[in-house]
Amino acid sequence: MADSSNRPVLVVDFGAQYAQLIARRVREAQVYSEVVPHTTPVAELLAKDPAAIVLSGGPSSVYEPGAPQVDPALFEAGVPVFGICYGFQAMAGVLGGTVEHTGTREYGRTELVLPDAGGVLHDDLPGTHPVWMSHGDCVTGAPEGFTVTASSDGAPVAAFEDRERRFAGVQYHPEVGHSPHGQEVLRRFLHEIAGIRPQWTTASIVEEQVERIRAQVGEGRAICGLSGGVDSAVAAALVQRAIGDRLTCVFVDHGLLRAGERTQVERDFVASTGVKLVTVDAKQRFLDALAGVTDPEEKRKIIGREFIRVFEQAERDLKAEGDYGFLVQGTLYPDVVESGGGAGTANIKSHHNVGGLPDDLEFELVEPLRALFKDEVRKVGTELGLPETIVQRQPFPGPGLGIRIIGEVTAERLEILRKADAIAREELTAAGLDRTIWQCPVVLLADVRSVGVQGDGRTYGHPIVLRPVSSEDAMTADWTRLPYEVLERVSTRITNEVAEVNRVVLDVTSKPPGTIEWE
C-alpha cells in the first residue's frame, strides 16, 4: 500500500503475539505499517524503502540455540530502528551492549522509573509509571552511543536511545493498553526520532486503493459478492469509485442470513451507492450441499465453494454485458493472519475469503481491504459516504448462520436460530448496547438437548448460547459484561417465543483461548 509519499514502517515479527497489534498502533500514529517475518533478508527489507523498522517482541531467549537474530547490516543502512522486548535485547546485543539472564523476571504490570532526563521517548511523562513487561533476560549495559532513559527493578536498562543514528528501544510493551503511555512513546519514536510525517489517513487510504484498483482492473469488469456486512460493502464502494458501472454486486441469499438482512442490503446499500445489484436465490442449493455435514471446517469450505460457483454462474448470465474477470472480496488483515497467511502463524480456521476458494477459480481476486483492520475499514466506509447502518453494523461471518449451528444445518434449525438471533439483537439495540459490544454471535447447540419445564410440561429442547464480546480488531477479545436485566429479557423472550429452545447460556470465554465464533 505504500507509495513514495507514504513509505512503510516494517514490523519485524520475532514470533510475538502482539506483532499485528504493533502494526495497528503504528497506523494509529498515522503512519503506514506492514508486518514481515524475521527471516526476511536485510536486502529485501531495504528494497521496500522503509521509513523505519520496528523489531517486535518474541518468546525466545537471545541465548537459546537457533533463537532469531538481527543481521548487523540492518544498523548500517541508515534506517531508524525501534526495538521492543526481545527486539530491544537483540538490538542491544548486536550493537555491543550487554544482555544477561540475571534470574530476575518481570511479567505483567511493572513500575518504570525515569531519570531526571527521560530522553525523547519519555520526556515529561510521570517519573514512575506502570508498563507491561514480559521478559526473563534483560539489558544490563547499553551499547556505545546510547543514553539509558528508563529502568525497572528487573531491568537496569529498560529504555535507551541514540538520537544521532535514530535508534531507540524499550524493554516493555508500549503497544498494549496496560502501558498507559505506550502509544505516546511509540508516536514519539515515529514522529520525533525517525522523523516520519503522519500521512496515513483515511483519505489517503481511499485515494491509494482507488488508484490500485484502476491499475489492476484496467478496462475490465468486476463482480463483488455482497454479504450485507461492512467488509464487503466497503470493498464494493471502493471498487465502484474506481471503475463505476463496470462493477456488478451479486447478493447471494444462501438461506444462512439473519432476519431482515436481504431487505437491508437491497434497500440501504443500493440507496447509498446506486450500485448495480443482482440478487440470487440459492437457499436450496446451499442446504443440499450442507446436508449431513457437521464438521465446521467442511462447512466453511462447502459454503466458500458454493459462493464461488454461484458467482461463476452469475458471470455467465451477465456475459451479454462483457467478460467479468475480477472477483471483489472484503478480506481483512485478521482473516489473512488467522488463516495462516502470515509467516509463522497457525491456521486457526479457514476463511472463505482466504483459504476456502476452489483451485479452479475463474476470477482474479481484487482485495482492497486485505491490509486493513476493522476499525480502519469502518473509517473508510464513512469516508465513502456509506450510511451508519452499514458502517457500524456488527461483524457477521461470510458463512453466516451455517457456522453458528453446532451440528447439521437444516431449514428448521436455521429458522430456530434466526428467531433467537433477532430477539437478542432487538434487546441489545433497545438497551443502547450496539456500540458497547463488538459482536454478539448467537449459537444454536443443535446436537444437544436439555430438559426443561414449559407450560407445566416437561420439554426436551435446544440450548442457545449468547457470545457477546468486546474487541478493537478481532485479533483479541474479551466477553462483554452485559447488564443482568438485559440478559434476563433476552433469555425470557427466547424461551417464551422460540418453542424449540428451553435454555439460554452465556459464553464467558476470552480470545484467546476461545475464538469469537464457535465454529
Side-chain angles (χ1 to χ4, degrees):
M1 279 195 176
D3 60 24
S4 58
S5 64
N6 217 348
R7 296 160 58 205
V9 167
L10 301 181
V11 178
V12 179
D13 184 3
F14 286 103
Q17 60 177 321
Y18 297 128
Q20 287 77 33
L21 182 57
I22 296 171
R24 189 170 175 276
R25 297 303 187 214
V26 171
R27 296 185 191 188
E28 287 178 4
Q30 295 186 312
V31 176
Y32 178 64
S33 61
E34 297 177 4
V35 178
V36 296
H38 71 270
T39 52
T40 307
V42 169
E44 288 187 25
L45 295 179
L46 299 180
K48 292 177 176 287
D49 190 24
I53 290 175
V54 177
L55 307 177
S56 85
S60 301
S61 165
V62 291
Y63 297 110
E64 289 178 3
Q69 299 298 320
V70 180
D71 188 335
L74 178 65
F75 301 103
E76 300 169 2
V79 177
V81 180
F82 185 63
I84 294 175
C85 193
Y86 181 88
F88 172 69
Q89 295 173 4
M91 178 180 184
V94 168
L95 291 172
T98 305
V99 182
E100 296 184 83
H101 185 70
T102 63
T104 301
R105 301 181 177 185
E106 289 179 316
Y107 293 104
R109 189 180 189 276
T110 304
E111 290 298 315
L112 190 74
V113 179
L114 307 180
D116 292 338
V120 176
L121 297 181
H122 301 96
D123 186 40
D124 290 332
L125 295 183
T128 301
H129 63 263
V131 295
W132 195 256
M133 292 279 200
S134 181
H135 69 97
D137 302 330
C138 64
V139 178
T140 57
E144 185 177 351
F146 281 79
T147 300
V148 177
T149 59
S151 64
S152 69
D153 286 345
V157 181
F160 58 38
E161 53 192 68
D162 180 340
R163 293 202 64 186
E164 183 176 342
R165 290 186 289 177
R166 297 185 296 172
F167 294 159
V170 295
Q171 178 62 69
Y172 60 90
H173 288 275
E175 72 274 19
V176 302
H178 297 294
S179 296
H181 300 288
Q183 182 63 21
E184 174 62 16
V185 168
L186 187 57
R187 186 200 67 77
R188 290 180 182 185
F189 168 74
L190 296 168
H191 297 174
E192 299 178 31
I193 293 180
I196 304 171
R197 288 189 297 160
Q199 295 179 307
W200 175 249
T201 64
T202 304
S204 73
I205 296 172
V206 171
E207 179 182 352
E208 191 173 335
Q209 281 308 302
V210 166
E211 291 177 2
R212 283 177 171 265
I213 294 164
R214 285 173 178 162
Q216 180 182 3
V217 177
E219 295 302 315
R221 293 176 178 271
I223 286 180
C224 177
L226 200 63
S227 69
V230 62
D231 304 338
S232 64
V234 173
L238 270 172
V239 175
Q240 188 199 33
R241 177 165 292 193
I243 66 172
D245 61 7
R246 287 182 287 120
L247 169 70
T248 297
C249 288
V250 177
F251 178 70
V252 177
D253 187 351
H254 49 25
L256 309 175
L257 302 170
R258 298 187 293 186
E261 289 192 295
R262 177 168 173 171
T263 300
Q264 184 186 51
V265 170
E266 293 177 332
R267 180 192 63 208
D268 294 349
F269 185 73
V270 174
S272 63
T273 63
V275 74
K276 178 180 177 182
L277 178 66
V278 174
T279 300
V280 179
D281 191 328
K283 300 186 192 73
Q284 197 58 51
R285 174 177 184 150
F286 278 80
L287 281 174
D288 291 345
L290 291 167
V293 178
T294 59
D295 180 75
E297 281 297 289
E298 187 65 19
K299 284 185 196 177
R300 286 179 176 272
K301 290 175 181 178
I302 288 171
I303 294 168
R305 180 194 71 208
E306 294 303 314
F307 257 105
I308 298 302
R309 296 308 176 218
V310 170
F311 293 147
E312 289 173 342
Q313 182 58 52
E315 190 266 348
R316 287 190 287 270
D317 294 342
L318 293 166
K319 276 287 189 183
E321 300 178 10
D323 290 334
Y324 285 78
F326 297 88
L327 173 63
V328 180
Q329 293 207 130
T331 310
L332 302 190
Y333 195 49
D335 300 334
V336 177
V337 172
E338 291 200 346
S339 298
T345 59
N347 189 342
I348 298 172
K349 63 184 178 182
S350 68
H351 189 283
H352 76 276
N353 280 355
V354 182
L357 299 176
D359 293 335
D360 58 347
L361 182 68
E362 296 180 3
F363 302 101
E364 180 179 335
L365 293 181
V366 178
E367 299 175 301
L369 312 179
R370 188 179 176 90
L372 300 184
F373 293 99
K374 179 74 76 171
D375 59 327
E376 294 173 318
V377 173
R378 295 192 195 280
K379 292 175 183 176
V380 169
T382 300
E383 179 78 14
L384 292 167
L386 294 180
E388 187 168 315
T389 53
I390 291 177
V391 173
Q392 296 301 331
R393 187 173 185 265
Q394 290 182 11
F396 187 58
L401 299 180
I403 60 167
R404 291 183 178 175
I405 294 176
I406 309 303
E408 182 184 6
V409 178
T410 68
E412 179 186 13
R413 290 173 171 183
L414 282 166
E415 192 55 30
I416 294 170
L417 181 53
R418 213 173 338 257
K419 290 177 182 177
D421 176 86
I423 290 169
R425 285 190 291 145
E426 286 172 13
E427 291 298 334
L428 291 173
T429 299
L433 295 171
D434 287 342
R435 292 292 189 94
T436 301
I437 65 173
W438 165 271
Q439 189 177 2
C440 185
V442 178
V443 181
L444 173 64
L445 303 185
D447 286 347
V448 176
R449 295 275 186 167
S450 65
V451 176
V453 178
Q454 292 170 295
D456 295 326
R458 178 186 176 92
T459 62
Y460 200 47
H462 297 289
I464 282 285
V465 180
L466 303 179
R467 173 73 167 135
V469 296
S470 301
S471 181
E472 292 183 334
D473 50 36
M475 298 299 296
T476 60
D478 193 13
W479 65 279
T480 307
R481 279 65 168 172
L482 296 179
Y484 287 149
E485 58 271 20
V486 175
L487 291 171
E488 179 186 19
R489 285 197 299 272
V490 172
S491 177
T492 300
R493 285 194 58 193
I494 289 176
T495 52
N496 284 348
E497 298 174 32
V498 186
E500 299 86 351
V501 175
N502 65 1
R503 194 177 299 269
V504 176
V505 300
L506 180 66
D507 184 343
V508 294
T509 312
S510 297
K511 175 188 179 183
T515 55
I516 293 177
E517 298 291 344
W518 272 47
E519 290 200 340

